[in-house]
Amino acid sequence: MKMAALCGDFAELVPLKKQLISVITLCKERGLLHSAKWASELAFALDPLPKDEVPPAPDFTEEDAQDLDALMLAKSYFDLKEYDRAAYFLKGCCSQKAYFLYMYSRYLSGEKKKDDETVDSLGPLEKGQVRNEALRELRVELSKKHIAGELDGFTLYLYGVVLRKLDLLKEAVEVFVEAIHALPLHWGAWLELSNLVTNIEMLKSLSLPDCWIRDFFMAHMYTELQMIKEALQKYQNLIEAGFSKSTYIISQIAVAYHNIRDIDQALALFNELRDQDPYRIDNMDTFSNLLYVKSMKPELSYLAHNLVEIDKYRVETCCVIGNYYSLRSQHEKAALYFQRALKLNPRCLGAWTLMGHEYMEMKNTSAAIQAYRHAIEVNKRDYRAWYGLGQTYEILKMPFYCLYYYRKAHQLRPNDSRMLVALGESYEKLSQQVEAKKCYWRAYSVGDVEKMALLKLAKLHEQLNESDDAAQCYMLYIQDIFSCGEQLEHAEVSTALRYLGQYYFKNKLYDEASLCAQRCCDYNDAREEGKALLRQISQVRDQIETPSADLFAPLSNNNTPVRRVSPLNLISFTP
């Protein structure tokens, strides 16, 4: 059945809902349950259709009638996961529907055998070594039909999946594009295509059908490519177009806020989602990541217990429990649950990354590297895995490797200050000070979430005897720390005050030096130095008058773009 494409203006929601209902039926008949679920959730968000508007059953061909008995028998076996048995009774059937189910049964049979062999013989870190033996045969048969132009939208989708599994990615992209043109409303094909798009240039080069579902795909891709502003705008447009009740869109917006570390907004949306759909498990692993970052132990414990009651053998449930144990510093238990998640789904990106983190905590760097590499195999756009590899090689004191992996993470998250600070540290270890300075300054400019960039930049200037620039950076650092409203654990205000006190003393700015020395007395690690400096100031104060004009004298000719700040600004900030 050919689906009529509806353009992206969403002018008429009634025909749109009709299309969704039709594609739900088509997907269910072929055992494509995830696509059917996605379309069902979307249809549920729209108003019910009047009786006379409900679409009829799909067209029934002569071939469908001939294959009906075999198809019904095979589908019953398929639903019970007896894939070989289903394929046996479908062999020789002529209809498009029966042919798809025949090939899909053979594919799933191979996947099931592969997973069984993996679980029986190997640990989760060696999963990539076992292959689906049916893939090559399926490719040969589907290729012949493809050349002859005999594949419909669903079978093209299956052909694309087979090509992707065989790592024939360029051919897979072409086939998935062909599949979504043949059947625009099959979300599974769009999702598979999204996993193969590596950057915005590739996305723009794709020839996509002019259908309303394209807006959902573009919003999903913007989220995956970390173009969060564009993604949020797309989802807002979809809500205004009539999908305001869609739990899928709410969950995607929450994931987008999670990706830009707007934790409070993301938590609010996930709580709203839980109110609307209390038995939902999808995306709850992302929700648990947010609770973990905020150290919300009671809420994370409640979520874990709740999901265990709903379904303890879901991947997301295992990840949530893993996060719970990780927050309690029980890293062996956490790693065990992430391994369970991977036994359930070897392509679970989050579990690979989180397991890498746990192995890092346990100082098992070789296992951490393997886990992060598997995460990258699943999704090359996962900046957390690239960043994790950088951290692992940093522990192993291999700065060239660090630099490579941190660069990859930075390319994926160009405005993430953590990646820039990590890059700066790597350049510093490789004695590339100019590059390190650029990274630290850029990290400060984009919004330094950890408030470390200016401190590192100041210390680097200090090591290079660039005292004026170091003083300016320390001054900005103190302003930054006090203006954020909370005292950070790693804040080194006393270090900055010590340096500024000595800097002003050397430049004969005794008022400012005295102020810094007094502030040093508020910190245990700097109290004695503060007192000593006050004594020095009192000895020379009456002899030399403070040359205030020096306050605004040009600083060194260093290339770092440091903003000029008067030292007197320190008075307005209190610890």
Side-chain angles (χ1 to χ4, degrees):
M1 175 180 171
K2 182 132 173 143
M3 285 286 161
L6 189 69
C7 292
D9 60 1
F10 300 95
E12 288 290 337
L13 291 176
V14 170
L16 187 149
K17 177 142 185 176
K18 283 183 179 180
Q19 290 185 347
L20 283 170
I21 291 170
S22 297
V23 86
I24 290 164
T25 306
L26 294 175
C27 289
K28 281 183 176 177
E29 288 174 346
R30 290 161 176 78
L32 297 166
L33 303 181
H34 287 287
S35 292
K37 183 177 90 167
W38 183 85
S40 299
E41 287 182 345
L42 220 53
F44 183 76
L46 301 175
D47 293 333
L49 292 176
K51 183 183 175 183
D52 57 338
E53 292 282 359
V54 175
D59 297 334
F60 211 66
T61 65
E62 186 64 36
E63 289 175 337
D64 289 332
Q66 286 179 0
D67 295 342
L68 183 61
D69 293 336
L71 191 58
M72 288 173 67
L73 177 65
K75 185 63 168 61
S76 66
Y77 294 146
F78 181 93
D79 291 341
L80 292 168
K81 294 184 169 55
E82 298 183 48
Y83 301 123
D84 288 328
R85 202 173 176 193
Y88 175 79
F89 284 100
L90 286 168
K91 196 170 185 179
C93 289
C94 302
S95 67
Q96 289 275 19
K97 196 186 301 181
Y99 181 71
F100 172 82
L101 202 60
Y102 169 62
M103 299 301 277
Y104 194 39
S105 297
R106 290 170 61 190
Y107 165 76
L108 288 178
S109 170
E111 286 294 293
K112 188 170 183 289
K113 287 168 185 169
K114 181 192 80 170
D115 290 343
D116 290 346
E117 187 181 338
T118 303
V119 170
D120 290 345
S121 61
L122 301 168
L125 289 174
E126 289 82 27
K127 276 189 182 290
Q129 298 175 8
V130 184
R131 294 191 79 95
N132 180 344
E133 297 298 330
L135 291 175
R136 295 189 188 282
E137 280 181 37
L138 290 171
R139 184 202 167 198
V140 170
E141 292 177 40
L142 287 166
S143 177
K144 288 176 184 174
K145 290 263 189 181
H146 184 234
I147 292 166
E150 295 174 8
L151 299 183
D152 66 356
F154 287 113
T155 325
L156 282 166
Y157 155 75
L158 180 58
Y159 184 31
V161 171
V162 169
L163 291 171
R164 177 181 63 75
K165 288 275 186 177
L166 290 168
D167 293 325
L168 300 168
L169 304 184
K170 188 181 175 187
E171 295 94 322
V173 169
E174 291 170 2
V175 171
F176 283 130
V177 169
E178 197 178 335
I180 59 178
H181 275 279
L183 189 71
L185 291 189
H186 179 211
W187 180 243
W190 291 94
L191 216 49
E192 285 288 348
L193 179 61
S194 76
N195 291 329
L196 299 177
V197 177
T198 52
N199 53 52
I200 188 63
E201 288 74 25
M202 183 178 175
L203 179 62
K204 287 176 180 175
S205 71
L206 294 176
S207 170
L208 303 174
D210 186 17
C211 174
W212 59 267
I213 204 169
R214 175 179 173 160
D215 287 330
F216 283 88
F217 172 74
M218 293 302 288
H220 176 77
M221 279 312 313
Y222 287 147
T223 306
E224 290 289 305
L225 295 171
Q226 306 299 326
M227 298 168 65
I228 304 302
K229 185 180 176 183
E230 292 85 349
L232 290 172
Q233 185 58 56
K234 276 281 183 192
Y235 284 125
Q236 187 58 41
N237 293 343
L238 289 167
I239 287 170
E240 290 169 3
F243 288 98
S244 57
K245 298 176 186 173
S246 170
T247 52
Y248 166 77
I249 291 179
I250 294 171
S251 68
Q252 290 301 104
I253 294 172
V255 169
Y257 279 121
H258 164 268
N259 288 357
I260 54 170
R261 297 176 69 83
D262 189 340
I263 295 171
D264 294 333
Q265 188 73 35
L267 282 173
L269 284 165
F270 273 119
N271 284 319
E272 180 187 334
L273 195 61
R274 296 263 295 161
D275 290 338
Q276 288 188 28
D277 191 358
Y279 292 94
R280 180 190 181 94
I281 296 181
D282 297 340
N283 306 114
M284 288 301 113
D285 49 338
T286 307
F287 184 30
S288 74
N289 291 343
L290 294 163
L291 296 174
Y292 179 93
V293 169
K294 294 282 278 185
S295 299
M296 298 168 76
K297 277 188 188 176
E299 290 84 352
L300 187 51
S301 173
Y302 175 76
L303 179 65
H305 282 94
N306 185 231
L307 294 187
V308 167
E309 285 177 10
I310 298 168
D311 186 352
K312 69 178 179 181
Y313 294 112
R314 277 282 292 269
V315 172
E316 294 89 343
T317 304
C318 294
C319 288
V320 171
I321 298 170
N323 272 336
Y324 170 68
Y325 282 121
S326 181
L327 190 56
R328 294 183 55 169
S329 300
Q330 294 177 255
H331 300 296
E332 291 83 359
K333 269 192 174 181
L336 179 66
Y337 275 96
F338 294 133
Q339 286 175 359
R340 284 188 187 178
L342 291 165
K343 284 184 178 180
L344 293 166
N345 179 8
R347 289 186 61 78
C348 178
L349 173 67
W352 281 120
T353 308
L354 292 168
M355 191 158 73
H357 296 344
E358 295 311 309
Y359 283 132
M360 284 275 285
E361 292 288 345
M362 292 188 278
K363 305 292 188 285
N364 187 346
T365 49
S366 60
I369 288 168
Q370 274 188 291
Y372 289 135
R373 287 193 190 284
H374 277 290
I376 290 164
E377 280 176 27
V378 173
N379 185 352
K380 288 183 171 60
R381 296 189 304 263
D382 182 30
Y383 77 92
R384 296 171 303 169
W386 292 109
Y387 184 62
L389 278 169
Q391 288 181 309
T392 311
Y393 282 109
E394 194 172 338
I395 289 170
L396 295 172
K397 294 182 168 52
M398 299 169 75
F400 280 107
Y401 282 83
C402 286
L403 190 62
Y404 173 78
Y405 291 115
Y406 284 143
R407 270 181 182 160
K408 286 283 191 183
H410 171 59
Q411 286 167 10
L412 293 164
R413 300 270 289 189
N415 293 322
D416 193 322
S417 62
R418 294 167 302 161
M419 314 301 146
L420 286 158
V421 169
L423 259 182
E425 288 173 338
S426 298
Y427 280 125
E428 205 173 332
K429 284 170 187 166
L430 294 167
S431 301
Q432 297 184 35
Q433 280 89 356
V434 174
E435 295 300 322
K437 287 181 200 173
K438 287 178 184 174
C439 288
Y440 291 143
W441 183 258
R442 171 79 177 146
Y444 168 67
S445 302
V446 298
D448 184 12
V449 291
E450 294 179 337
K451 308 293 181 193
M452 291 292 287
L454 281 172
L455 182 67
K456 290 182 179 295
L457 181 57
K459 287 181 177 179
L460 183 55
H461 282 308
E462 191 179 343
Q463 287 168 21
L464 297 171
N465 295 318
E466 296 166 357
S467 57
D468 293 330
D469 291 317
Q472 290 290 344
C473 288
Y474 276 128
M475 175 58 64
L476 287 173
Y477 172 70
I478 289 173
Q479 290 179 329
D480 219 19
I481 291 294
F482 290 156
S483 65
C484 75
E486 55 179 316
Q487 196 68 31
L488 303 171
E489 285 181 21
H490 59 69
E492 295 186 37
V493 176
S494 58
T495 305
L497 288 169
R498 269 201 302 257
Y499 183 86
L500 286 170
Q502 292 296 336
Y503 170 78
Y504 292 137
F505 184 76
K506 286 173 188 172
N507 284 279
K508 302 178 182 179
L509 299 169
Y510 298 119
D511 288 341
E512 288 78 14
S514 176
L515 179 58
C516 290
Q518 289 168 24
R519 291 287 172 82
C520 281
C521 295
D522 296 333
Y523 298 90
N524 292 332
D525 59 337
R527 186 168 293 142
E528 293 306 315
E529 289 182 48
K531 288 178 180 177
L533 182 57
L534 284 170
R535 284 194 294 271
Q536 285 180 283
I537 293 166
S538 66
Q539 289 170 10
V540 296
R541 198 158 202 169
D542 296 331
Q543 300 169 21
I544 304 169
E545 193 172 310
T546 305
S548 57
D550 287 356
L551 213 61
F552 301 101
L555 298 185
S556 71
N557 291 324
N558 191 280
N559 290 327
T560 308
V562 179
R563 182 156 46 96
R564 301 295 177 243
V565 179
S566 166
L568 295 174
N569 286 350
L570 186 63
I571 298 168
S572 61
F573 294 98
T574 53

